[in-house]
Amino acid sequence: MADHVQVVTTTDSEESAAELARGVVEARLGACVQVVPIRSFYVWDGAAQDDPEWQLQIKTSSGRLDVLIGHLKAHHGYDVPEIIVTPIVGGNPDYLTWVDEQTTPASP
């Protein structure tokens, strides 16, 4: 896998997106979380849904991925949260170094 990834998840409100994003950054599981309002169409409980959602785009180092996924599952409001991981295969080396610095666990 690549050294860096972008993880995407969605929430049902701007407030829950902000709370989840803040928790990810404060826990040093993601260097940056961008929250974007979107409209989602999907089938849930046998019925077509059309809902506003807020998408979180989380940039992190691959070494923090398993802990990040665990954090998202534990703090997410959905029964089955979307968690999709996309490798970052290139980018600004200075930015990717910053991602590494921000996702390195703090010393005790």
Side-chain angles (χ1 to χ4, degrees), residues 6-29:
Q6 177 171 277
V7 177
V8 173
T9 191
T10 55
T11 64
D12 62 353
S13 73
E14 186 174 9
E15 294 77 22
S16 63
E19 184 177 327
L20 196 56
R22 191 173 297 106
V24 165
V25 171
E26 288 176 353
R28 301 184 69 91
L29 298 173

Side-chain angles (χ1 to χ4, degrees), residues 58-91:
I58 306 163
K59 273 62 79 182
T60 192
S61 59
S62 294
R64 298 293 276 159
L65 183 57
D66 291 340
V67 179
L68 172 59
I69 290 172
H71 179 89
L72 292 174
K73 286 181 172 182
H75 295 90
H76 207 290
Y78 288 179
D79 293 338
V80 182
E82 170 190 14
I83 300 174
I84 296 177
V85 180
T86 304
I88 298 173
V89 297

Side-chain angles (χ1 to χ4, degrees), residues 35-58:
V35 176
V36 182
I38 60 172
R39 184 176 175 187
S40 294
F41 295 84
Y42 57 97
V43 174
W44 189 254
D45 289 335
Q49 308 294 320
D50 174 358
D51 293 315
E53 288 190 299
W54 283 258
Q55 183 181 73
L56 288 78
Q57 302 168 3
I58 306 163

